[in-house]
Each structure stands twice: as structure tokens, then as C-alpha cells.
């Protein structure tokens, strides 16, 4: 009998890419009318402007496993240097070029050696890194946010999410997501996702005895 598991896993991955593409397209659309000074707005990523975060997203959608490994070796496993180098590659000379490069990778399925769900998480988190400082609001499908929250609760890949929420009980107020035990942290699924990844501006949108514990862990890496 043929093992059905590989087919099921493949279907699961295939199901995630349209979500990534939809969120990239939505972000690209939100940024069409930005003026020059908006592109230089500091993002929620420390030290990066909204334009630079967009270039980082483009880099992630343009970097396959071979190129990723080449960069790792070139920079002697200094991952921060590789990220900065790949960002610079995709920044372009103008904000319009940065935006155009991102639009060209909207439907890309190229990725570093990360699971597709991690790419979805990166897309949503960095989209908020851009949108929130600009005052742009986006209605994410609750099913998409829940899948990302489920991923982060059990993973420290890319960002120390699992360790950051250890010993806390997280409960979404707008969807089915819940995890853990201990002091309560409640709020929208988006706020929980962003707080889980260390975005401190979202802590003010959360309630419960565990919020201050989570706040104290914001710089965890």
C-alpha cells in the first residue's frame, strides 16, 4: 500500500503558498501611493525603514537554498551580515524601484531553507512592521493568522517565539487560537502573533497577568 503521508504533506504546503501570495499582493497594494518621506519612516524592525523592510521581504522571496548557503559560507555564518547584504541587493536606487522589485516576487515560491509556514509568518509580521508605523490597517483572514500563531507557539526558527511565550497561556479574543498554561495573555490573534515575535507596540493591545512577563521578554533572541 502506498503511504499517503507525503501526498498529504505536499497538499498542506501547496495550500500555504496562495496565502503568502495574497498577503504580498495586499501589502504591495497598500504601498502604491506612498510619498518619499513615508518610505523613510522607521519600521517596527529596529534600525530599518519601511522601504528597507520591503526590500528584505523581496530578498526572502528571491533566495533559494543554494544562494542562502553560499552567503552563509561567504560571511562565515554571520547571518545578520548576510541579511543586510541581501537587503541591499534588493533595495534599488529609488523607492519606486524597491516597490517594483517586491511586486515582481508576489507569486514567487522561491525561499531559503525554511518551511513555507515560516515564509507566511515572515510576510505577515514584516507587513505589520511596515503598516503599523504608517497607520495602515489590513484585515487579515482569521484562518491565516491562526495558522501563523499555531506555528510560532511551537517554533524558535527565525525568531524566539516558543521561548518567549513559555509558561504563559495565550488566548485569542477574535478566533480559535489558544495555547499554553500559566498567567493569561489575551488579545486579537494579530496582536498575539506580533507580541510573540517581540513587537512591543502590540503589548498595549493585550490583557492579562502575563502581559508584563511577555513585555520583559521582548528582546529575547
Amino acid at each position: 500500500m502506498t503511504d499517503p503521508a507525503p501526498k498529504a504533506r505536499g497538499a498542506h504546503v501547496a495550500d500555504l503558498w496562495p496565502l503568502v501570495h495574497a498577503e504580498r499582493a495586499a501589502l504591495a497594494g497598500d504601498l502604491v501611493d506612498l510619498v518619499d518621506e513615508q518610505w523613510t519612516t522607521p519600521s517596527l524592525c529596529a534600525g530599518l525603514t519601511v522601504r528597507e523592510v520591503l526590500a528584505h521581504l523581496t530578498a526572502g522571496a528571491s533566495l533559494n537554498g543554494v544562494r542562502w548557503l553560499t552567503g552563509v559560507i561567504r560571511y562565515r555564518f554571520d547571518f545578520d551580515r548576510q541579511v543586510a547584504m541581501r537587503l541591499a541587493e534588493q533595495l534599488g536606487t529609488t523607492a519606486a524601484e524597491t516597490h517594483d522589485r517586491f511586486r515582481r516576487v508576489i507569486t514567487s515560491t522561491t525561499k531559503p531553507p525554511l518551511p513555507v509556514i515560516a515564509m507566511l509568518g515572515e510576510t505577515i509580521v514584516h507587513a505589520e512592521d511596515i503598516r503599523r508605523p504608517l497607520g495602515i490597517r489590513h484585515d487579515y483572514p482569521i484562518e491565516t493568522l491562526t495558522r501563523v500563531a499555531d506555528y510560532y507557539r511551537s517554533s524558535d526558527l527565525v525568531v524566539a517565539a516558543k521561548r518567549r511565550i513559555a509558561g504563559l497561556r495565550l488566548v485569542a479574543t477574535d478566533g480559535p487560537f489558544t495555547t499554553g498554561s500559566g498567567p493569561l495573555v489575551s488579545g486579537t490573534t494579530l496582536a498575539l502573533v506580533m507580541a510573540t515575535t517581540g513587537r512591543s507596540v502590540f503589548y498595549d493591545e493585550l490583557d492579562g497577568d502575563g502581559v508584563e512577563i511577555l513585555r520583559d521578554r521582548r528582546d529575547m533572541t
Side-chain angles (χ1 to χ4, degrees), residues 32-54:
V32 167
D33 295 323
L34 293 193
V35 297
D36 288 344
E37 51 266 36
Q38 288 177 300
W39 283 109
T40 61
T41 300
S43 74
L44 298 187
C45 274
L48 297 182
T49 65
V50 297
R51 180 184 168 195
E52 289 168 331
V53 174
L54 191 68

Side-chain angles (χ1 to χ4, degrees), residues 167-169 182-186 206-215:
L168 299 174
R169 179 174 175 243
L184 175 67
V185 178
S186 66
L206 302 174
D207 295 306
D209 295 338
V211 175
E212 289 308 310
I213 298 173
L214 191 57
R215 192 188 299 273

